[in-house]
Coordinates of all heavy atoms in Angstrom, one line a residue:
P1 N 0.8 -1.2 0.0 CA 0.0 0.0 0.0 C 0.9 1.2 0.0 O 1.9 1.3 0.7 CB -0.8 -0.1 1.3 CG 0.0 -1.1 2.2 CD 0.8 -1.9 1.2
D2 N 0.5 2.2 -0.8 CA 1.3 3.4 -0.9 C 0.9 4.4 0.2 O 0.5 5.5 -0.1 CB 1.1 4.1 -2.3 CG 2.1 5.2 -2.6 OD1 3.1 5.2 -1.9 OD2 1.7 6.1 -3.4
L3 N 0.9 3.9 1.5 CA 0.4 4.7 2.6 C 1.4 4.4 3.8 O 1.9 3.3 3.9 CB -1.0 4.2 3.0 CG -2.1 4.3 2.0 CD1 -3.3 3.6 2.6 CD2 -2.5 5.8 1.8
N4 N 1.6 5.5 4.6 CA 2.3 5.2 5.8 C 1.4 4.5 6.8 O 0.2 4.3 6.6 CB 2.9 6.5 6.4 CG 1.8 7.4 6.9 OD1 0.9 7.0 7.6 ND2 2.0 8.7 6.7
A5 N 2.0 4.0 7.9 CA 1.2 3.1 8.8 C 0.0 3.9 9.4 O -1.0 3.2 9.6 CB 2.2 2.7 10.0
F6 N 0.1 5.1 9.7 CA -1.0 5.9 10.3 C -2.2 6.1 9.3 O -3.3 5.9 9.6 CB -0.5 7.2 10.9 CG 0.5 7.0 12.0 CD1 1.8 7.1 11.7 CD2 0.0 6.7 13.2 CE1 2.7 6.9 12.7 CE2 1.0 6.5 14.3 CZ 2.3 6.6 14.0
D7 N -1.8 6.4 8.0 CA -2.8 6.5 7.0 C -3.5 5.2 6.7 O -4.7 5.1 6.4 CB -2.2 7.1 5.7 CG -1.8 8.6 5.9 OD1 -2.4 9.2 6.8 OD2 -1.0 9.1 5.1
L8 N -2.7 4.1 6.7 CA -3.2 2.8 6.5 C -4.2 2.4 7.6 O -5.3 1.9 7.3 CB -2.1 1.8 6.4 CG -2.5 0.3 6.2 CD1 -3.3 0.2 4.9 CD2 -1.3 -0.6 6.2
A9 N -3.9 2.8 8.8 CA -4.8 2.5 9.9 C -6.1 3.3 9.7 O -7.2 2.7 10.0 CB -4.1 2.9 11.3
D10 N -6.0 4.5 9.3 CA -7.3 5.3 9.0 C -8.1 4.6 7.9 O -9.3 4.5 8.0 CB -6.9 6.7 8.6 CG -6.4 7.5 9.7 OD1 -6.6 7.2 10.9 OD2 -5.7 8.6 9.5
R11 N -7.4 4.1 6.8 CA -8.1 3.5 5.7 C -8.8 2.2 6.2 O -9.9 1.9 5.8 CB -7.1 3.2 4.6 CG -7.7 2.7 3.3 CD -8.4 3.7 2.4 NE -7.6 4.8 2.1 CZ -6.9 4.9 1.0 NH1 -6.8 3.9 0.1 NH2 -6.3 6.0 0.7
L12 N -8.1 1.4 7.0 CA -8.6 0.2 7.6 C -9.9 0.5 8.4 O -10.9 -0.2 8.4 CB -7.6 -0.6 8.3 CG -6.5 -1.3 7.5 CD1 -5.4 -1.8 8.4 CD2 -7.1 -2.4 6.7
A13 N -9.8 1.5 9.2 CA -10.9 1.9 10.1 C -12.1 2.3 9.2 O -13.3 2.0 9.6 CB -10.5 3.1 11.0
M14 N -11.9 2.9 8.1 CA -13.1 3.2 7.2 C -13.7 2.0 6.6 O -14.9 2.0 6.2 CB -12.6 4.2 6.1 CG -12.3 5.6 6.6 SD -12.0 6.8 5.3 CE -10.5 6.2 4.5
T15 N -13.0 0.9 6.6 CA -13.6 -0.4 6.0 C -14.3 -1.2 7.1 O -14.9 -2.2 6.9 CB -12.5 -1.3 5.4 OG1 -11.7 -1.8 6.4 CG2 -11.7 -0.6 4.3
G16 N -14.2 -0.7 8.4 CA -14.9 -1.4 9.5 C -13.9 -2.2 10.3 O -14.3 -2.9 11.2
T17 N -12.6 -2.2 9.9 CA -11.6 -3.0 10.6 C -11.1 -2.1 11.7 O -10.5 -1.0 11.5 CB -10.5 -3.4 9.7 OG1 -11.0 -4.1 8.6 CG2 -9.4 -4.2 10.4
E18 N -11.3 -2.5 13.0 CA -10.9 -1.7 14.1 C -9.4 -1.8 14.3 O -8.8 -2.9 14.3 CB -11.6 -2.2 15.4 CG -11.2 -1.4 16.6 CD -11.8 -1.9 17.9 OE1 -12.8 -2.7 17.8 OE2 -11.4 -1.5 18.9
V19 N -8.8 -0.6 14.3 CA -7.3 -0.5 14.6 C -7.2 0.2 15.9 O -7.5 1.4 16.0 CB -6.6 0.3 13.5 CG1 -5.1 0.4 13.9 CG2 -6.8 -0.4 12.2
E20 N -6.8 -0.5 17.0 CA -6.7 0.1 18.3 C -5.6 1.1 18.4 O -5.7 2.1 19.0 CB -6.6 -1.1 19.3 CG -6.6 -0.6 20.8 CD -6.6 -1.7 21.7 OE1 -7.4 -2.7 21.6 OE2 -5.7 -1.7 22.6
R21 N -4.4 0.7 17.9 CA -3.3 1.6 17.9 C -2.2 1.2 16.9 O -2.2 0.0 16.4 CB -2.7 1.6 19.3 CG -2.0 0.4 19.7 CD -1.3 0.5 21.1 NE -0.8 -0.8 21.6 CZ -1.4 -1.6 22.4 NH1 -2.6 -1.2 22.9 NH2 -0.9 -2.7 22.8
V22 N -1.4 2.1 16.6 CA -0.2 1.8 15.7 C 1.0 2.0 16.6 O 1.2 3.0 17.2 CB -0.2 2.8 14.5 CG1 1.1 2.6 13.7 CG2 -1.4 2.7 13.7
E23 N 1.8 0.9 16.6 CA 3.1 1.0 17.4 C 4.2 1.2 16.4 O 4.3 0.5 15.4 CB 3.2 -0.3 18.2 CG 2.2 -0.5 19.3 CD 2.4 -1.8 20.0 OE1 3.3 -2.6 19.7 OE2 1.5 -2.1 20.9
T24 N 5.1 2.0 16.8 CA 6.3 2.3 16.0 C 7.5 2.0 16.8 O 7.5 2.1 18.0 CB 6.3 3.7 15.4 OG1 6.4 4.6 16.5 CG2 5.1 4.0 14.6
H25 N 8.6 1.7 16.1 CA 9.9 1.6 16.7 C 10.8 2.7 16.1 O 10.8 2.9 14.9 CB 10.6 0.3 16.4 CG 9.8 -0.9 17.0 ND1 9.9 -1.2 18.3 CD2 8.9 -1.8 16.5 CE1 9.1 -2.2 18.6 NE2 8.5 -2.6 17.5
G26 N 11.4 3.5 16.9 CA 12.2 4.6 16.4 C 11.3 5.8 16.1 O 10.3 5.9 16.7
V27 N 11.8 6.6 15.2 CA 11.1 7.8 14.9 C 10.3 7.6 13.6 O 10.8 6.9 12.7 CB 12.0 9.0 14.9 CG1 12.6 9.3 16.2 CG2 13.1 8.8 13.9
S28 N 9.2 8.4 13.4 CA 8.5 8.2 12.2 C 8.7 9.3 11.2 O 8.6 9.1 10.0 CB 7.0 8.0 12.5 OG 6.5 9.1 13.3
G29 N 9.0 10.5 11.6 CA 9.3 11.6 10.7 C 10.8 11.9 10.7 O 11.3 12.4 11.8
L30 N 11.5 11.8 9.6 CA 12.9 11.9 9.7 C 13.4 13.3 9.3 O 14.7 13.5 9.3 CB 13.5 10.8 8.7 CG 13.2 9.4 9.1 CD1 13.8 8.4 8.1 CD2 13.7 9.1 10.5
E31 N 12.6 14.2 8.9 CA 13.1 15.5 8.4 C 13.9 16.3 9.3 O 14.7 17.1 8.9 CB 11.9 16.3 7.8 CG 10.9 16.7 8.9 CD 9.8 15.7 9.1 OE1 9.8 14.6 8.5 OE2 8.9 15.9 9.9
H32 N 13.8 16.1 10.6 CA 14.6 16.8 11.6 C 15.7 16.0 12.2 O 16.3 16.4 13.2 CB 13.7 17.4 12.7 CG 12.7 18.4 12.1 ND1 13.1 19.6 11.7 CD2 11.4 18.3 12.0 CE1 12.0 20.3 11.2 NE2 11.0 19.5 11.4
F33 N 16.0 14.8 11.7 CA 17.0 13.9 12.2 C 18.1 13.8 11.2 O 17.9 13.5 10.0 CB 16.5 12.5 12.5 CG 15.5 12.5 13.7 CD1 14.1 12.7 13.5 CD2 15.9 12.2 14.9 CE1 13.2 12.7 14.5 CE2 15.0 12.2 16.0 CZ 13.7 12.5 15.8
V34 N 19.3 14.2 11.6 CA 20.5 14.2 10.7 C 21.7 13.6 11.4 O 21.7 13.3 12.5 CB 20.8 15.7 10.3 CG1 19.7 16.3 9.6 CG2 21.2 16.5 11.5
V35 N 22.7 13.4 10.6 CA 24.0 13.0 11.1 C 24.9 14.2 11.1 O 24.9 15.0 10.1 CB 24.7 11.9 10.1 CG1 26.1 11.6 10.6 CG2 23.8 10.7 10.1
G36 N 25.6 14.4 12.2 CA 26.4 15.6 12.4 C 27.8 15.2 12.8 O 28.1 14.1 13.2
K37 N 28.7 16.2 12.7 CA 30.1 16.1 13.1 C 30.4 17.0 14.2 O 30.1 18.2 14.1 CB 31.0 16.4 11.9 CG 32.5 16.3 12.1 CD 32.9 14.9 11.9 CE 34.4 14.9 11.8 NZ 34.9 13.6 11.6
V38 N 30.9 16.5 15.3 CA 31.2 17.3 16.5 C 32.5 18.0 16.2 O 33.6 17.4 16.1 CB 31.3 16.4 17.8 CG1 31.7 17.3 19.0 CG2 30.0 15.7 18.0
L39 N 32.4 19.3 16.0 CA 33.6 20.2 15.7 C 34.3 20.5 17.0 O 35.5 20.7 17.0 CB 33.1 21.5 15.0 CG 32.3 21.2 13.7 CD1 31.8 22.6 13.2 CD2 33.2 20.5 12.7
D40 N 33.6 20.7 18.1 CA 34.2 21.0 19.4 C 33.3 20.6 20.5 O 32.1 20.7 20.4 CB 34.4 22.6 19.4 CG 35.2 23.0 20.7 OD1 36.2 22.4 20.9 OD2 34.7 23.9 21.4
A41 N 33.9 20.0 21.5 CA 33.1 19.6 22.7 C 33.9 20.1 24.0 O 35.0 19.6 24.2 CB 32.9 18.1 22.7
R42 N 33.3 21.0 24.7 CA 33.9 21.6 25.9 C 33.0 21.4 27.1 O 31.8 21.3 27.0 CB 34.2 23.1 25.7 CG 35.1 23.4 24.5 CD 35.2 24.9 24.4 NE 35.9 25.1 23.1 CZ 37.1 25.6 23.1 NH1 37.7 26.0 24.2 NH2 37.7 25.8 21.9
Q43 N 33.6 21.4 28.3 CA 32.9 21.3 29.5 C 32.0 22.5 29.7 O 32.3 23.6 29.4 CB 33.9 21.2 30.7 CG 33.3 21.0 32.0 CD 32.6 19.7 32.2 OE1 33.2 18.7 31.8 NE2 31.4 19.7 32.7
H44 N 30.8 22.2 30.1 CA 29.8 23.3 30.4 C 30.3 24.1 31.5 O 30.8 23.5 32.5 CB 28.4 22.7 30.7 CG 27.3 23.6 30.8 ND1 27.2 24.6 31.7 CD2 26.2 23.7 30.0 CE1 26.1 25.3 31.6 NE2 25.5 24.8 30.5
P45 N 30.3 25.4 31.4 CA 30.8 26.3 32.5 C 30.1 26.1 33.8 O 30.7 26.4 34.9 CB 30.8 27.7 32.0 CG 29.7 27.6 30.9 CD 29.8 26.3 30.3
D46 N 28.8 25.7 33.8 CA 28.1 25.7 35.1 C 27.5 24.3 35.4 O 26.6 24.2 36.2 CB 26.9 26.7 35.0 CG 27.4 28.1 34.8 OD1 28.4 28.5 35.5 OD2 26.8 28.9 34.0

């Protein structure tokens, strides 16, 4: 199905199939998750 898990659950509910919950592992929206390079790491002053 060309749907994410949450849209698929909504579509199933419209057919009369009860979907109690959608469980995910990890994060579902990746747009704010990136790989970064630590340029500098210093002790917090406080």
